[in-house]
Amino acid sequence: MSESYLPIFILFFVTLGIGGAMLGLAYVLGPRKPSAIKEMPFEFGSPNIGTARERFSVKYYVTAILFLVFDIESVFIYPWAVLFRELGWFGFVEMLVFVAFILVGLVYVLRKGALEWE
Amino acid sequence: MDNVMCSQADKFLGMVPYDWTMIVIVPVAKILFIIAVIIGLYTPLATLVERKLSAAMQDRIGPNRAYIIKVGGKPLTIFGLFHTMADALKMFTKEWTTPKSADKFLFYLAPVIGLVPALLTFAVIPFGPPIQVCDRVVPLQIASINVGVLFIFAVGSMGVYSAALAGWASNNKMALLGALRASAQSISYEITFGLTLVGLMMVFHTVRLDSMVAQQVDLLHWGVFLQPLALVLFFTAAMAENKRIPFDLPEGESEIVGYFVEYSSMGFGLFMTTEFIEMSAIAFLTTALFFGGYTVPTWVATDHSFAMWNVASELWPAAFFAIQMAAFFFKVTVLWLFQFVVRWALPRFRYDQLMRLGWRIMLPLSLANIAVTAIAILAADGDAAKGTEYVMMTGLVMIGLFVLSLFYSRKPRQSGDSGHGHDHGHDEQQATVAAAHH
């Protein structure tokens, strides 16, 4: 069984090699004439003010947390989706109740305006 | 004849232990084939097709100058085919710059992190019918693993690291903004991407891609007929994850340059390569899941014996194998070209529209699709044919629901705009006056 994963490992190292080779080749072939201005982060030509290690909008964090909730939900749905014929209507209602609980959360979050990006 | 060839092959393969043939040599051959098709054919062609199709849709000629040799005093251009080589050469020979304040290790790592999962997706997609070589059946799929679809979710979600790391490591505010947008967008559509395939898992009662394809021999059992709504949602979510044009906010050239603004030469080239590889990955996946993979919608194909190709037997099965391979790559190419056409057919979304589409329309619809599919199959009570019928009927209903939900979502916003409501006529008048002046 585990040997059926071997090709994936081979492919993994092949792709890693391709990526590394492409970067390495460009590194070798390309000219390099560094200057202070070239090494500055490009922010539309104006002198940089501070670094990019800034705080950013809390909305991205809310999105990430929502993603976690629904990703876990989908992880629970996968095994049910494979077995739902055997579980029958009982399993279906159980899954509906589970999804409904999380959907209530989503509706709450949306009503609170957590995903208003205007 | 059969036996002679087979025994010859066995004698040749006898030099290496039998296990090694199947475990290493055959997979390596398949990997080389896929790499040759993807990196050697589809990706270079994508750079040209992108420009040529843009040109066609904008009534221009497009790239047509590059040549290597002249024939009869005229440069041999072949529809600009040499531009693919010129583009690649240009990427390799451009100057490589790294911002001083960048996190060097992550800065170089990020483009490679994007490339690896994009190519790994192909590991579980069957690209041809299983072939029979003497006494061995070789599936044309790099790794025939039992978690199939789950592997694609696992690998597909890795792509977000590339954008996030690239933007953060660049130490550039615009790149960071692009990375944040990319991450938020990818994870928002990730859920829909995962949930739409649950419908297919339920209909085909498996998570293996090879057995999903094998069940689509009959034209009416293609995923597109069983799960039409899932197809629409899946393709949209996949394009959103790939950050292709209606969803290209992370790299919106006119506002922020994007998470790869600091990358030059092949660093940038790898991001483009990854995007093009993912386009073919989407085409491969959609073909395998929704358009019957390598199956040909013929009346012959229902006879399963033809699906096996015996190298040492007569020609007809070999021809059938060739037709199946051609059918697979034809379907892939059509879906691949479709993504280029979408680029110029649709304008870029606004960020709030993007998030609303993902969270308020696509996510509830994908959940509804699962529930309706489950009801349809459970209502058939174990009768497979009846179940398929129910699933197809409910699929049509779901498509109708989708169209309705799109209309609902076009309702103008109530909050925020109401204060300026009476100004609209005035604004419009001014706009017309301004337009008349120019």
Side-chain angles (χ1 to χ4, degrees):
Chain A
M1 202 64 250
S2 60
E3 79 236 17
S4 61
Y5 287 86
L6 189 70
I8 293 177
F9 281 102
I10 300 175
L11 183 62
F12 175 77
F13 286 110
V14 168
T15 52
L16 213 60
I18 290 172
M22 280 165 94
L23 279 189
L25 214 63
Y27 198 80
V28 173
L29 288 178
R32 221 158 312 137
K33 297 192 197 86
S35 72
I37 290 181
K38 271 186 205 165
E39 288 179 347
M40 237 163 64
F42 172 75
E43 285 169 6
F44 304 117
S46 55
N48 302 140
I49 303 165
T51 65
R53 300 288 174 263
E54 291 266 355
R55 293 191 230 169
F56 42 82
S57 170
V58 72
K59 298 212 155 104
Y60 292 106
Y61 295 96
V62 176
T63 312
I65 292 169
L66 263 186
F67 162 71
L68 277 184
V69 171
F70 279 93
D71 212 35
I72 300 291
E73 182 200 6
S74 58
V75 167
F76 279 115
I77 286 181
Y78 293 148
W80 168 77
V82 176
L83 284 173
F84 83 107
R85 281 168 213 251
E86 288 80 355
L87 296 172
W89 289 107
F90 178 70
F92 175 69
V93 172
E94 291 244 302
M95 189 41 77
L96 268 193
V97 170
F98 172 64
V99 171
F101 268 119
I102 293 174
L103 271 185
V104 168
L106 179 70
V107 170
Y108 175 76
V109 167
L110 290 180
R111 278 287 145 86
K112 273 274 177 188
L115 288 173
E116 298 292 332
W117 288 82
E118 289 85 32
Chain B
M1 186 61 191
D2 296 20
N3 295 332
V4 177
M5 273 177 74
C6 280
S7 64
Q8 286 277 330
D10 275 341
K11 212 199 286 179
F12 177 70
L13 290 172
M15 285 181 254
V16 281
Y18 168 70
D19 284 354
W20 284 98
T21 319
M22 288 304 276
I23 292 175
V24 178
I25 298 175
V26 172
V28 166
K30 286 187 275 194
I31 287 171
L32 289 180
F33 174 76
I34 281 292
I35 298 265
V37 168
I38 301 304
I39 294 191
L41 186 69
Y42 274 102
T43 307
L45 267 185
T47 63
L48 182 68
V49 168
E50 173 116 296
R51 294 163 69 187
K52 272 285 183 192
L53 258 181
S54 311
M57 293 181 83
Q58 295 164 359
D59 205 10
R60 296 184 282 122
I61 296 172
N64 66 340
R65 297 286 175 89
Y67 69 93
I68 296 175
I69 46 163
K70 286 188 174 184
V71 177
K74 276 178 120 185
L76 183 72
T77 53
I78 329 175
F79 311 114
L81 209 62
F82 293 111
H83 278 273
T84 57
M85 287 155 87
D87 282 344
L89 268 179
K90 190 180 73 181
M91 285 294 176
F92 277 117
T93 53
K94 284 280 174 182
E95 178 173 358
W96 183 296
T97 58
T98 317
K100 230 189 182 83
S101 50
D103 185 320
K104 298 274 175 343
F105 176 67
L106 291 180
F107 187 77
Y108 296 131
L109 189 67
V112 183
I113 283 193
L115 181 76
V116 171
L119 274 172
L120 271 184
T121 318
F122 292 97
V124 291
I125 305 173
F127 53 90
I131 50 174
Q132 194 183 347
V133 186
C134 297
D135 55 339
R136 279 149 229 178
V137 176
V138 180
L140 284 188
Q141 181 186 20
I142 290 172
S144 176
I145 53 174
N146 54 3
V147 291
V149 172
L150 299 183
F151 178 81
I152 286 170
F153 297 150
V155 169
S157 56
M158 293 290 288
V160 68
Y161 285 107
S162 164
L165 284 180
W168 191 81
S170 301
N171 206 346
N172 178 322
K173 294 181 204 74
M174 296 303 143
L176 184 69
L177 267 179
L180 284 174
R181 284 185 181 187
S183 317
Q185 173 183 330
S186 286
I187 60 178
S188 297
Y189 284 83
E190 178 86 33
I191 303 161
T192 311
F193 182 78
L195 287 179
T196 46
L197 296 190
V198 169
L200 283 179
M201 280 155 62
M202 288 171 15
V203 169
F204 293 127
H205 208 209
T206 179
V207 286
R208 296 183 72 108
L209 272 116
D210 43 355
S211 76
M212 276 187 186
V213 172
Q215 287 180 51
Q216 297 181 52
V217 172
D218 189 351
L219 178 65
L220 286 176
H221 288 173
W222 278 15
V224 59
F225 296 114
L226 297 176
Q227 294 280 302
L229 180 63
L231 170 66
V232 175
L233 295 177
F234 173 79
F235 208 79
T236 315
M239 280 188 75
E241 279 205 58
N242 192 15
K243 305 179 272 290
R244 280 292 298 182
I245 259 185
F247 305 102
D248 72 333
L249 290 105
E251 48 195 76
E253 298 92 340
S254 49
E255 21 188 300
I256 56 169
V257 188
Y259 54 88
F260 46 56
V261 56
E262 287 303 336
Y263 285 85
S264 59
S265 93
M266 207 59 207
F268 169 73
L270 269 188
F271 282 115
M272 286 309 287
T273 312
T274 306
E275 184 177 319
F276 288 135
I277 289 175
E278 276 179 11
M279 286 178 75
S280 19
I282 294 168
F284 265 63
L285 251 183
T286 314
T287 305
L289 292 168
F290 292 99
F291 291 96
Y294 53 79
T295 61
V296 189
T298 55
W299 4 119
V300 193
T302 44
D303 186 352
H304 288 276
S305 64
F306 282 112
M308 291 287 177
W309 177 45
N310 195 327
V311 171
S313 71
E314 65 277 347
L315 186 72
W316 164 239
F320 188 67
F321 169 78
I323 291 170
Q324 283 182 316
M325 288 295 275
F328 181 77
F329 283 102
F330 172 73
K331 292 171 192 173
V332 165
T333 309
V334 169
L335 287 168
W336 180 73
L337 285 174
F338 177 70
Q339 295 177 69
F340 288 108
V341 175
V342 167
R343 178 191 166 125
W344 292 105
L346 296 174
R348 182 186 300 150
F349 281 111
R350 231 171 37 215
Y351 207 76
D352 61 314
Q353 295 171 330
L354 176 91
M355 284 307 194
R356 195 167 58 205
L357 179 70
W359 287 101
R360 298 197 178 182
I361 301 177
M362 288 177 59
L363 175 62
L365 273 179
S366 58
L367 284 171
N369 185 49
I370 293 173
V372 168
T373 310
I375 292 173
I377 293 175
L378 287 175
D381 208 18
D383 185 347
K386 222 160 100 188
T388 310
E389 221 169 85
Y390 288 172
V391 167
M392 281 166 79
M393 285 193 299
T394 51
L396 288 178
V397 176
M398 292 308 284
I399 277 287
L401 211 71
F402 174 68
V403 174
L404 273 180
S405 75
L406 284 184
F407 275 112
Y408 169 76
S409 75
R410 292 178 74 178
K411 208 170 65 172
R413 282 177 299 151
Q414 272 117 30
S415 61
D417 272 356
S418 52
H420 309 285
H422 58 277
D423 279 355
H424 273 191
H426 184 59
D427 282 351
E428 258 167 48
Q429 262 181 2
Q430 271 196 334
T432 349
V433 172
H437 274 291
H438 286 118

